[in-house]
Amino acid sequence: MSLADTELPAAATETPRRARGRPRKTADERDDGNRRRELVAGAARLFRQQGFAATTTRDIAAAVGMRAGSPFYHFESKEALLGAVMLEGMQGALRRQQAALAQLPAGAGARERLRVLVRNHFDVLLGPDSDFIPVMLYEWRALSAVQRTEVNRLKDRYEAEWVPELEALHAQQQLGAEPALARLMIFGALNWSAQWYTPPSGRSARARARATLDELTDSALQLFLKEPA
């Protein structure tokens, strides 16, 4: 009788199979992405409210229900977290801007396209999850040179979408200023609204003096543009 004819117990004949692909993630690992997003959002809110220097990683961890040292699992330092606030904020703003422009009908004019850009920018500035631009404005110097370069690259892409519309409006004599200077002035004016804007609420006389984002957009365009001839 050969060895081939010998029947061994199943446990002895079966070779454990090697798991294919990456190991299955634990529940905590699957939640990493959500926790990271919570950290970035919580940090942005606190950096805006308290300032970068006055905010500790303990503050940020407490704000999102983490242990004091947990943020360092996702970010090596508070400075890295500040960079993520600005980078991920600009990435989100780019996506929102591109989506808003994509909804325009084919052949939309420069004035209509600029209105969409201004309205979307107000939403980025003043709508939900709008903390990152004020943080950019006031905490810029806290970034490293590498971080500033990365954020500037995204900011330039964001603002580049405005240039063809401003140039077209200038050619149509609806924009009085030279387009490059007008772009800087427009962004300066729009971004400052993050400091003074209060959304309308209720029916009081004071509330009626406030503006919706659509009304802000109309007012901004009236300031920046001339009526078509």
Side-chain angles (χ1 to χ4, degrees):
M1 182 176 63
S2 68
L3 291 176
D5 296 327
T6 305
E7 291 188 5
L8 298 176
T13 60
E14 292 180 0
T15 302
R17 294 184 179 180
R18 184 177 179 179
R20 295 182 179 179
R22 299 174 64 183
R24 183 174 297 176
K25 291 185 177 181
T26 66
D28 286 344
E29 288 172 330
R30 288 195 298 271
D31 197 39
D32 277 354
N34 292 332
R35 299 302 277 162
R36 188 183 192 282
R37 285 190 290 272
E38 289 174 11
L39 273 172
V40 172
R45 185 171 60 254
L46 290 177
F47 292 158
R48 181 180 185 178
Q49 293 171 351
Q50 302 176 180
F52 173 72
T55 301
T56 66
T57 53
R58 185 180 295 272
D59 294 333
I60 297 166
V64 298
M66 285 186 175
R67 295 179 180 176
S70 295
F72 296 112
Y73 175 77
H74 302 272
F75 299 96
E76 63 183 13
S77 65
K78 191 175 72 165
E79 289 74 15
L81 185 47
L82 176 66
V85 166
M86 298 190 194
L87 282 170
E88 296 183 25
M90 280 308 309
Q91 289 165 352
L94 266 169
R95 288 192 297 269
R96 290 162 68 173
Q97 178 168 270
Q98 291 163 356
L101 289 172
Q103 292 176 6
L104 279 167
R111 195 180 188 99
E112 186 178 359
R113 290 178 66 83
L114 183 64
R115 189 186 194 286
V116 167
L117 289 168
V118 171
R119 177 61 179 80
N120 179 74
H121 192 63
F122 274 132
D123 196 49
V124 168
L125 279 166
L126 308 171
D129 304 320
S130 59
D131 294 311
F132 83 95
I133 283 187
V135 174
M136 283 181 62
L137 295 175
Y138 294 105
E139 304 295 350
W140 184 252
R141 293 185 179 182
L143 292 178
S144 69
V146 171
Q147 288 172 320
R148 283 196 294 271
T149 298
E150 293 173 343
V151 175
N152 268 328
R153 178 177 52 83
L154 293 173
K155 183 175 71 68
D156 290 346
R157 283 179 54 197
Y158 182 86
E159 294 185 10
E161 299 276 8
W162 298 57
V163 173
E165 318 315 330
L166 295 174
E167 289 177 343
L169 289 163
H170 185 259
Q172 297 163 14
Q173 298 185 343
Q174 295 182 46
L175 180 70
E178 192 274 327
L181 182 59
R183 175 178 57 82
L184 295 173
M185 297 292 288
I186 289 170
F187 274 103
L190 298 184
N191 289 347
W192 187 248
S193 67
Q195 294 300 310
W196 54 260
Y197 178 71
T198 303
S201 59
R203 297 181 178 274
S204 66
R206 183 180 179 186
R208 287 197 296 272
R210 299 172 184 169
T212 65
L213 298 188
D214 286 328
E215 291 167 341
L216 280 185
T217 301
D218 291 338
S219 295
L221 292 176
Q222 289 168 9
L223 287 171
F224 304 144
L225 300 181
K226 303 174 183 178
E227 289 300 321

